[in-house]
Amino acid sequence: QVQLVESGGGLVQAGGSLRLSCAASGYTFSSYTMGWFRQAPGKEREFVAAVSWGGGAIYYENSVRGRFTISRDNAKNTVYLQMNSLKPEDTAVYYCARSGIMVQLAKIRDYDYWGQGTQVTVSS
């Protein structure tokens, strides 16, 4: 079965960095778009970043562009989110997910499997 397991979350001060990892199993990892999403208390789950099958196409939500970097290692079935210059508004549970839709077209509803999430808390 498909399994996505996030790790790397934690508590950091504003301006700090975290590196999230998502380990995937149970499917052909390299054939799927992979994305990161986040959900803060009382808010809708929102898109953060996504990467195409081979890593050649990448998209970011505007507020994280220039601070976050998504990457994937298909040999390790892992997608990463390097988060730098963290802000309190980045505080959320971060989820990784897969989509069978090409990254340019995939919407949140097109991501069919999700991890359980990892908490990121950024203090001011």
Side-chain angles (χ1 to χ4, degrees), residues 32-117:
Y32 286 84
T33 295
M34 296 299 299
W36 285 98
F37 299 79
R38 64 188 181 187
Q39 188 167 23
K43 300 184 70 176
E44 297 274 323
R45 190 168 297 185
E46 68 175 357
F47 170 78
V48 176
V51 58
S52 62
W53 297 4
I58 292 173
Y59 293 90
Y60 295 101
E61 192 274 322
N62 288 337
S63 70
V64 310
R65 188 174 293 110
R67 299 188 297 121
F68 291 10
T69 302
I70 188 171
S71 62
R72 66 191 297 161
D73 186 338
N74 287 344
K76 296 181 179 179
N77 287 357
T78 302
V79 61
Y80 304 95
L81 186 68
Q82 178 67 48
M83 305 186 295
N84 298 326
S85 301
L86 283 161
K87 304 174 180 179
E89 51 263 46
D90 295 318
T91 295
V93 177
Y94 283 70
Y95 300 88
C96 70
R98 75 160 202 184
S99 176
I101 305 299
M102 60 190 302
V103 68
Q104 296 91 338
L105 299 178
K107 309 301 181 186
I108 191 168
R109 60 182 169 85
D110 297 316
Y111 288 81
D112 59 353
Y113 284 90
W114 296 76
Q116 293 301 303

